[in-house]
Amino acid sequence: MHLANASLAPFSVQKDRMTKLPQPSSKPPVAEQRPYSFERHGYSVDDPWFWLKDTGYPKVEDKDILAYLNAENSYFETAMQPHKALTDAIFQEMKGRIKEDDSSVPQKDGDWTYWREFETGAQYRKWYRRPVAGGEAQLILDEPALAGGKDYFRLGAISVSPDGRYLAYAIDDNGSERFEARVCDLFTGEMLPDVIPGTLSSLVWTADNRGFLYGLANENWRTDNARLHWLGDPVEKDVELFHEADEGFRVGVGLTSSEKWITISAGDHVTSEIWLLPAHDPLAKPLLVSARRQGREYDVDEHEGRLFIHTNDTSPNFRLATASIDAPDEWRELIPASPHFYMTDVTNFKHFYVVEGREDGLDQIEIRDYATNTPKRIPFPEASYVAGLDDNPDYDVTKLRVGYESMVTPDTIYDYHLDNGELEVLKVQEIPSGYDASKYATERFHVTARDGTEIPVSVVYAKDFRKNGQGPLHLYSYGAYGYAVPPGFSTNRLSLLDRGFAYAIAHIRGGDDLGQQWYLDGKLEKRTNTFNDFVDVAKGLIERKFTSAGKISISGGSAGGELMGAVANSDSQLWGAVVAHVPFVDVLNTMLDESLPLTPGEWPEWGNPITDKAAFELIRSYSPYDQVRAQAYPPMMITGGLNDPRVTYWEPAKWAAKLRATRTDDNILLLKTNMGAGHGGKSGRFDSLEEDAEEMAFILWQLGVAG
């Protein structure tokens, strides 16, 4: 479907209601238009807001740009001020559902048991451990202390050396995702002088505890290397063990379940390649498992010299093959691909291995012994749910840590006992303000898309919700990179459900909810399936009397923000409010700019408009920024992050500026840019709740629902 030819139906339902809503007294900022154009493939493209991209990026120091972003932030504050009481009330509701002094379930890892705790009022966690043999608890990492005085804090990689002495961890204190690795001696509490700035990877220890592997981000924020750091050596002496020449590939480091082998992986969105290093000899010549083949993905685990290779080489639903460590490229099939079971992961343990996947879209955990390969599935009670292995660091175990939740069942941690099949409940998410699951209902059904494809939908609502077409509904989706939105539990969502909303998740193509083919059917030349599916699900929910046009709020972030922009352009009359977080909306310009950190690695997902005219035409036909036109748009709330390396700040800024200059309605449009954060917004658990509360207050305001 060409979005330029999409329905221009009048915005009657929305406009009639919106005329009664108060608008902010100040006028919204207007970003000036400065002439700029470029030519590609015979097309001339005008972009009068191009100047909002600072030429000094990643530094943003242009006074005009900062003035515009600050003006938008001021307008946002002015517009939301009359609704502050509602925002505060929702925040207190959300906070009241959080157990402030919460802790994780302790888990054994070698000679120690580890867990994490929040203290009352704390934004961040503390990490503890205790000897398995008994003894005092030891604080090994104090996030609140590390975050002290900072507007933003994020803990990245964290790893304890095999002997339990050293803790390596990485932190980001501005949202740019350029982490700094540090090392602490846990036996003495002393910080080592080893500090490595600019890391962007896991931290993997060598078996002798003398050093660790990591990846360094290059000047374009791409990890194209694997490096070895010996404790005590200056960073300048670190050894580059692997370097990737393809600018579209990223490099990662890992460890097999047995911890005998270090993995170095290189790949993009469609192709992968893995090398192995002995964990006791990281300077040995890397062992290539199998050379990269375009379109083939695989990952590897190991058991007693036998490689277990999870791959899509014969089917998009993946299969499991094995190979000897001595002949790693000679694969023998162990579990063939299935048209109904999408194999998502394989984990080896000493006496058995676990296959995870989805059968007809529902999570499955399958345990198989090495001798007979006989499968045994863990049963789960509900018709729609989320389940998977939780934290299982030990190799030799008699029980598995498993996580489970559904749209009405809070997060539950189990130990699954392998000898008798018992699911032992270890922890159920506690909701201090109270929660009664019997007051809510959930459904899973299918909506037929315009091309005949059946799209799964998960819905939750309070049992007193009436399906008469009059109720409000919130619709969420993502639809890219093969990410399946899980039908899980959310305490924040209750603030909508308790105000009469139904909440729906559209499992649209572009995710891998129904297998990798589901993902393939929503990317590249099939990208518009994603947008069409979302719109068709909304119309299907209207047909089922869950709601009506103009009473649907929608939200999505990053690539899900692109979805928001596309459907706001194509079917504006359906939506009562649109929230787009860090939205990837300037798709054409971004995919044409190979100097940006992510662009070369994104071409397999979106296409390369630099070299491919057809890709240029297709991306331009749906790119939300390029397709903004003179029509009525629904009320919109847009967010961005000044330090965001994934969706750069100018994408939401340019989009908001163009919408303001082009739209024909007087509905509210807000742009909020986090000036000290990145892709994920504010980092503290309560600070992030404040942003969630703002979003929800905006939705209630625009849909006319009483607070």
Side-chain angles (χ1 to χ4, degrees), residues 214 313 387 607 617 666 670 701:
Y214 68 95
D313 60 349
E617 293 173 337
D666 59 358
L670 300 178
W701 167 27

Side-chain angles (χ1 to χ4, degrees), residues 206-208 210 230 259-262 277-284:
T206 59
D208 61 8
R210 292 178 51 229
W230 295 118
E259 300 187 358
K260 294 179 181 178
W261 296 91
I262 294 170
L277 286 171
H280 68 278
D281 185 12
L283 293 175

Side-chain angles (χ1 to χ4, degrees), residues 492-615:
N492 289 354
R493 187 188 299 149
L494 296 173
S495 289
L496 286 179
L497 303 186
D498 292 347
R499 288 175 172 83
F501 275 73
Y503 187 103
I505 298 171
H507 302 284
I508 57 181
R509 284 172 283 185
D512 67 353
D513 306 63
L514 297 186
Q516 195 186 46
Q517 190 60 53
W518 200 249
Y519 160 52
L520 299 176
D521 286 343
K523 65 181 291 191
L524 295 173
E525 70 278 359
K526 299 180 180 180
R527 181 61 184 154
T528 54
N529 283 340
T530 300
F531 315 138
N532 295 344
D533 288 355
F534 189 85
V535 169
D536 293 343
V537 164
K539 292 178 178 178
L541 289 164
I542 291 171
E543 290 175 2
R544 286 167 170 76
K545 302 296 183 182
F546 277 95
T547 189
S548 58
K551 295 184 177 181
I552 305 173
S553 60
I554 59 175
S555 65
S558 197
E562 177 201 278
L563 171 65
M564 296 300 99
V567 301
N569 284 334
S570 69
D571 292 85
S572 60
Q573 76 283 356
L574 288 177
W575 323 121
V578 177
V579 179
H581 293 296
V582 291
F584 178 41
V585 286
D586 195 11
V587 187
L588 183 63
N589 278 313
T590 294
M591 288 298 99
L592 285 169
D593 188 351
E594 56 190 318
S595 71
L596 290 175
L598 297 183
T599 293
E602 296 294 304
W603 289 329
E605 181 76 16
W606 312 102
N608 184 349
I610 297 174
T611 60
D612 186 344
K613 181 179 181 181

Side-chain angles (χ1 to χ4, degrees), residues 31-72:
E32 67 174 297
Q33 301 185 41
R34 301 179 183 177
Y36 176 84
S37 65
F38 66 90
E39 293 188 1
R40 181 79 65 166
H41 300 299
Y43 294 92
S44 179
V45 179
D46 292 321
D47 189 1
W49 294 277
F50 179 83
W51 66 270
L52 285 169
K53 174 186 175 182
D54 195 314
T55 57
Y57 182 81
K59 292 182 178 180
V60 184
E61 299 174 335
D62 185 293
K63 293 181 180 179
D64 289 347
I65 295 173
L66 292 173
Y68 170 67
L69 297 178
N70 286 322
E72 286 282 9

